[in-house]
């Protein structure tokens, strides 16, 4: 059987991957875009996106993603469902094992994103988008004048809690330990904020409101006393970190201590012809527009690489 060799394979259909798809398709590279378990990435699980330039009244996350996808298709990007099982980046073209088939790529753009870490409670999962969120900048606005809770003890949780004070009347920060992982400055800011209250040694046991399809509160266990209590809140935000979807490249690409792909000059990995963009390599900005920006950079670099190698 003839080998399926592509000039460019893009891994991921979030903002970074689709932007890379638009650019490489428009450059006539006929990119193959592999769509994994979370099609559309994080934008597809959010609601109104108000900070993506060009949409003065905002745009729904799923609609924005759908538009990008149409735009990429219009220029000839090919989409295929495919979860990357393993990759061999020691060979060129790179071999991408999708389980039932292997695709070969002269350039690979990794835009596999990062997945929010959730608590894993069934009630939490049932209420995602109905008061449970992992993105304060996306969804905070909907909690104007309401009380909410944020879970986590790192910088993300502090940042979310501080951001949410713009909207909420009260933010209760719930952390499972006494000590915080957050930087001193972020923690101090949160402690000093009059709208933020702290609950430490506290673990969320259940999100209340599954029947009404709307968060009504949370049940919290005090791990020191063993006492459970209910806290009436309209929203629950998880700030317990993201997990970059890069583990399949461990040992072949450099990953940092939290599993993000290490890049230099924005999108270059240690292997020529392999680029990483968006949240799989960005631990700092994590915005749709920055993901789109690095997706564009990766596409331009892939195009340049192919040109320099005579393709
Ligand atoms: P993080 O530092 O790993 O903190 C995650 C927090 O969530 C920890 O406090 C952890 O508790 C808690 N947690 C994890 N799993 C949990 C679970 N299942 N149930 C309850 N709590 C759980 O992650 P992050 O806050 O997203 O930060 C990631 C990196 O980005 C850090 O290097 C951070 O400095 C950086 N960052 C910086 C800024 C900034 O400077 N403005 C903003 C955001 C992020 P334990 O402490 O008990 O493990």
């Amino acid at each position: 059987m003839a080998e399926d060799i592509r000039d460019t394979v893009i891994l991921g259909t979030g903002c970074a991957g689709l932007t890379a798809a638009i650019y490489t398709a428009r450059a006539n590279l006929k990119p193959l875009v592999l769509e994994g378990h979370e099609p559309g990435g994080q934008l597809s699980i959010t609601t109104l996106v108000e900070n993506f330039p060009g949409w003065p009244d905002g745009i729904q996350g799923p609609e924005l993603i759908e538009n990008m996808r149409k735009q990429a298709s219009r220029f000839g990007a090919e989409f295929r469902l495919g979860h990357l099982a393993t990759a061999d980046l020691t060979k060129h073209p790179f071999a991408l094992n999708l389980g039932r088939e292997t695709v070969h790529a002269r350039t690979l753009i990794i835009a596999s994103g990062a997945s929010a870490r959730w608590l894993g409670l069934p009630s939490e999962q049932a209420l995602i988008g109905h008061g449970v969120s992992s993105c304060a900048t996306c969804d905070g606005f909907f909690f104007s004048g309401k009380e909410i809770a944020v879970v986590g003890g790192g910088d993300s949780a502090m940042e979310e809690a501080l951001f949410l004070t713009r909207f909420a009347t009260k933010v209760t920060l719930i952390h499972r330990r006494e000590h915080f992982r957050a930087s001193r400055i972020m923690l101090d800011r949160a402690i000093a904020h009059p709208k933020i209250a702290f609950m430490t040694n506290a673990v969320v046991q259940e999100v209340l409101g599954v029947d009404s399809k709307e968060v009504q509160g949370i049940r919290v266990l005090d791990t020191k006393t063993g006492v459970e209590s209910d806290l009436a809140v309209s929203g629950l935000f998880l700030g317990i970190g993201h997990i970059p979807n890069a583990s399949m490249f461990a040992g072949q690409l450099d990953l940092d201590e939290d599993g993000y792909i290490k890049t230099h000059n924005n999108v270059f990995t240690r292997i020529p012809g392999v680029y990483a963009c968006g949240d799989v390599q960005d631990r700092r900005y994590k915005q749709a527009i920055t993901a789109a920006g690095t997706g564009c950079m990766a596409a331009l670099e892939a195009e340049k690489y192919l040109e320099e190698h005579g393709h």
Side-chain angles (χ1 to χ4, degrees):
M1 210 170 80
E3 278 189 342
D4 188 1
I5 301 179
R6 303 293 180 127
D7 278 339
T8 301
V9 173
I10 298 168
L11 198 61
T13 54
C15 209
L18 292 177
T19 304
I22 292 166
Y23 272 78
T24 50
R26 232 177 138 256
N28 211 20
L29 300 181
K30 300 189 169 44
L32 175 67
V33 189
L34 298 175
E35 186 151 60
H37 293 319
E38 294 177 56
Q42 292 176 51
L43 273 185
S44 66
I45 56 160
T46 190
T47 48
L48 194 64
V49 180
E50 290 186 313
N51 53 8
F52 200 91
W55 300 93
D57 301 319
I59 179 168
Q60 292 292 323
E63 192 187 345
L64 180 58
I65 281 295
E66 190 50 36
N67 287 349
M68 289 186 189
R69 202 187 159 98
K70 279 189 198 148
Q71 201 172 346
S73 294
R74 181 158 85 85
F75 295 116
E78 180 188 335
F79 289 85
R80 190 180 295 176
L81 286 177
H83 182 68
L84 184 71
T86 55
D88 185 351
L89 306 182
T90 60
K91 293 182 186 150
H92 197 267
F94 311 116
L96 308 172
N97 170 10
L98 306 180
R100 285 201 199 138
E101 58 176 337
T102 298
V103 171
H104 295 87
R106 294 192 176 100
T107 58
L108 173 65
I109 295 177
I110 303 168
S112 44
S115 303
R117 189 178 278 130
W118 299 95
L119 295 171
L121 302 168
S123 53
E124 166 204 55
Q125 295 298 304
L127 288 165
I128 291 173
H130 300 275
V132 173
S133 171
S134 60
C135 179
T137 46
C138 317
D139 299 327
F141 181 77
F142 303 109
F143 296 87
S144 289
K146 299 189 172 158
E147 294 196 14
I148 55 187
V150 172
V151 183
D155 280 333
S156 292
M158 300 306 140
E159 199 168 65
E160 290 211 343
L162 286 161
F163 180 80
L164 290 165
T165 58
R166 298 185 196 184
F167 313 103
T169 49
K170 183 180 175 189
V171 178
T172 304
L173 201 138
I174 297 172
H175 181 37
R176 64 184 176 185
R177 293 189 297 144
E178 190 97 36
H179 299 284
F180 290 87
R181 211 174 273 274
S183 55
R184 192 69 239 175
I185 186 163
M186 298 285 282
L187 181 60
D188 284 347
R189 268 187 215 152
I191 290 170
H193 202 288
K195 279 190 184 175
I196 300 180
F198 281 77
M199 275 176 95
T200 51
N201 301 308
V203 173
V204 177
Q205 301 285 84
E206 194 184 340
V207 188
L208 310 172
V210 172
D211 290 342
S212 57
K213 291 193 170 60
E214 188 178 70
V215 171
Q216 309 277 348
I218 49 177
R219 185 152 298 151
V220 184
L221 172 72
D222 182 321
T223 56
K224 277 207 159 160
T225 62
V227 174
E228 270 189 357
S229 59
D230 290 353
L231 183 70
V233 287
S234 306
L236 176 68
F237 284 80
L238 285 307
I240 60 175
H242 275 80
I243 306 170
N245 300 316
S247 56
M248 57 285 207
F249 298 109
Q252 301 194 72
L253 298 179
D254 294 331
L255 306 187
D256 74 10
E257 63 280 12
D258 293 318
Y260 290 88
I261 296 176
K262 282 191 186 173
T263 50
H264 60 278
N265 287 346
N266 301 307
V267 295
F268 287 81
T269 69
R270 63 188 287 267
I271 299 182
V274 178
Y275 309 94
C277 52
D279 283 10
V280 74
Q281 56 91 50
D282 170 19
R283 58 180 304 146
R284 189 174 176 87
Y285 301 109
K286 301 174 184 172
Q287 300 297 303
I289 192 65
T290 51
T294 52
C296 162
M297 292 178 207
L300 295 177
E301 295 302 344
E303 194 185 339
K304 200 159 170 233
Y305 175 94
L306 289 165
E307 209 174 277
E308 284 171 1
H309 289 77
H311 297 292

